[in-house]
Amino acid sequence: MRNLLIAGNWKMNHTAAATETFCRELRARGLEGKRPDILLCPPFTSIGTMVSLLKGSPVHVGGQNLHQQDKGAFTGEISAAMLREAGCSHVLIGHSERRQYFHEDDAGVNAKTRKALENGLTPVICIGETREEREKGVTNAVIKTQLSGALAGFAVGEIRKMLIAYEPVWAIGTGLTATPEQAQEVHRYIRKLLSEIAGAETAQLLRILYGGSAKPDNAAELLSEADIDGLLIGGASLKAEDFFRIIEIADTINK
Ligand code: PEP
């Protein structure tokens, strides 16, 4: 079965000093023996601190973005090899804020995903519709375009190494969560698309995370849905207490 994954996306929050405080508190709460897989994606400047302070714990560390080239004149960018060397095992790709503010498109997401896999990083591919798209009734069409664009040209064996995050843009950082039913409906559709793209067996193996104002108060009902295999959490991952609480909740879910 698909083990739940609780992931945090810190965005541009927490200095290395704040990261140290967070990591010490999270460890002190006791992560050992918790069943969900755990991932945290801090800013680049905090990766080293997090990797060293959470060494030996079950927490995986990921980047929030990478560049699709190996190296070169790309001021301000970071490569997959650099993330690996810093201790990352995962990387977020195509987060809606990257799409909105940095004009990332599906072709770029595809190229970044290839680079991540070539370097042994697990890509967490983020997809989701805007509020306008949902109101226009084109959510499924948007999801299909984004998912098929991201996965174009990959072999089934490569797709099996990926994670998908469904993040309705209207629910990110707004306090508006998709209802568990709304989220489940899209997750079920994503799994159907995955089945068409990579076969039923792969679709059953792949984990699809939900993201969008997830927090301790709504984690249990979201995680109880059949096709929701974890959470990608922004705001509520910034405090060790809240993030740990969600891990504890995930630990109690049986499905
Ligand atoms: C995110 O940025 O991936 C996210 C889901 O943010 P929030 O939980 O704050 O809505």
Side-chain angles (χ1 to χ4, degrees), residues 146-177:
Q146 292 180 345
L147 189 68
S148 52
L151 302 191
F154 286 105
V156 169
E158 293 172 315
I159 293 175
R160 285 188 182 204
K161 295 179 182 155
M162 301 176 186
L163 292 160
I164 309 295
Y166 168 58
E167 300 205 299
V169 180
W170 50 272
I172 296 180
T174 58
L176 293 174
T177 320

Side-chain angles (χ1 to χ4, degrees), residues 17-250:
T19 301
E20 180 170 345
T21 307
F22 177 102
C23 291
R24 291 197 191 286
E25 187 182 340
L26 188 66
R27 278 204 100 148
R29 286 175 182 269
L31 293 167
E32 279 65 29
K34 296 280 180 284
R35 291 184 303 158
D37 293 320
I38 307 168
L39 167 66
L40 275 168
C41 302
F44 298 136
T45 48
S46 285
I47 289 172
T49 303
M50 183 173 280
V51 167
S52 73
L53 285 171
L54 295 181
K55 198 167 182 214
S57 84
V59 180
H60 298 277
V61 180
Q64 297 176 12
N65 181 33
L66 81 168
H67 195 272
Q68 57 269 38
Q69 300 294 331
D70 289 320
K71 61 178 176 176
F74 302 104
T75 302
E77 294 291 326
I78 194 151
S79 74
M82 291 167 186
L83 289 176
R84 276 291 291 199
E85 184 188 50
C88 290
S89 53
H90 292 65
V91 61
L92 305 181
I93 299 180
H95 189 279
S96 67
E97 288 150 17
R98 299 294 315 170
R99 294 177 190 258
Q100 186 181 349
Y101 303 126
F102 303 96
H103 314 295
E104 292 198 5
D105 59 13
D106 295 327
V109 169
N110 184 285
K112 288 180 179 206
T113 301
R114 179 151 305 288
K115 203 44 76 179
L117 288 176
E118 276 173 20
N119 285 273
L121 289 166
T122 299
V124 184
I125 300 170
C126 304
I127 57 175
E129 82 287 2
T130 62
R131 199 182 60 171
E132 293 72 34
E133 289 163 342
R134 176 162 280 264
E135 283 168 359
K136 271 197 240 155
V138 294
T139 296
N140 282 5
V142 170
I143 294 295
K144 186 172 185 175
T145 302
Q146 292 180 345
L147 189 68
S148 52
L151 302 191
F154 286 105
V156 169
E158 293 172 315
I159 293 175
R160 285 188 182 204
K161 295 179 182 155
M162 301 176 186
L163 292 160
I164 309 295
Y166 168 58
E167 300 205 299
V169 180
W170 50 272
I172 296 180
T174 58
L176 293 174
T177 320
T179 65
E181 297 74 26
Q182 279 174 323
Q184 165 59 22
E185 198 182 328
V186 181
H187 279 234
R188 190 192 304 113
Y189 179 64
I190 292 171
R191 208 174 300 286
K192 178 172 164 279
L193 291 174
L194 288 170
S195 176
E196 287 164 16
I197 294 168
E201 202 185 320
T202 301
Q204 283 308 316
L205 286 173
L206 279 200
R207 286 182 288 183
I208 307 170
L209 314 181
Y210 168 79
S213 299
K215 47 186 183 279
D217 286 353
N218 56 25
E221 49 178 9
L222 287 163
L223 290 170
S224 300
E225 293 290 343
D227 289 292
I228 298 183
D229 308 313
L231 299 172
L232 179 54
I233 307 154
S237 70
L238 290 172
K239 276 195 195 158
E241 183 184 355
D242 292 342
F243 190 62
F244 184 74
R245 181 82 197 101
I246 297 174
I247 293 166
E248 282 188 314
I249 290 165

